[in-house]
Amino acid sequence: DIKNDLTPKIYPNPFGDYIKIDLSNEFSYSIYNVDGRLIVKGRSTNQINTSTLEKGMYFIELQTETQNMKQMIIKQWLSYIANILGFR
């Protein structure tokens, strides 16, 4: 079960080529696409390079020794949505 007890600051969101995470405990992270496929994972870094991720929605899961937290994150895609809606 995923608990939402952690309160890290994950920013910016929407993000570009990196995500910063303010969390004092050691943690591991996993980033999943909306289909639940694991895209990238790692350990205890306050900045994650996301330059290779395509624009869209993702979920990031942070895990400490005692807790898990999952949050939706968005790679900047305003121009992507504008194109879908026919705005240019």
Side-chain angles (χ1 to χ4, degrees):
D1 288 342
I2 300 294
K3 298 177 186 176
N4 288 316
D5 296 339
L6 294 176
T7 54
K9 183 175 180 186
I10 301 173
Y11 62 96
N13 193 13
F15 61 94
D17 290 338
Y18 65 90
I19 298 171
K20 291 191 175 193
I21 299 173
D22 288 344
L23 184 60
S24 58
N25 298 340
E26 282 195 30
F27 64 94
S28 61
Y29 66 89
S30 302
I31 298 177
Y32 300 90
N33 68 10
V34 293
D35 296 326
R37 186 170 60 95
L38 178 64
I39 304 299
V40 64
K41 66 180 181 174
R43 276 197 75 70
S44 294
T45 181
N46 290 338
Q47 183 167 306
I48 301 169
N49 183 337
T50 56
S51 62
T52 60
L53 296 182
E54 304 219 0
K55 295 176 181 168
M57 288 192 305
Y58 295 90
F59 292 94
I60 186 167
E61 182 175 15
L62 305 179
Q63 299 174 319
T64 67
E65 241 180 65
T66 59
Q67 298 174 316
N68 292 347
M69 177 261 192
K70 191 179 263 188
Q71 179 176 321
M72 184 181 72
I73 54 176
I74 299 173
K75 175 110 185 211
Q76 291 179 346
W77 65 337
L78 293 177
S79 60
Y80 172 74
I81 291 174
N83 286 336
I84 288 176
L85 297 175
F87 299 106
R88 296 186 196 266

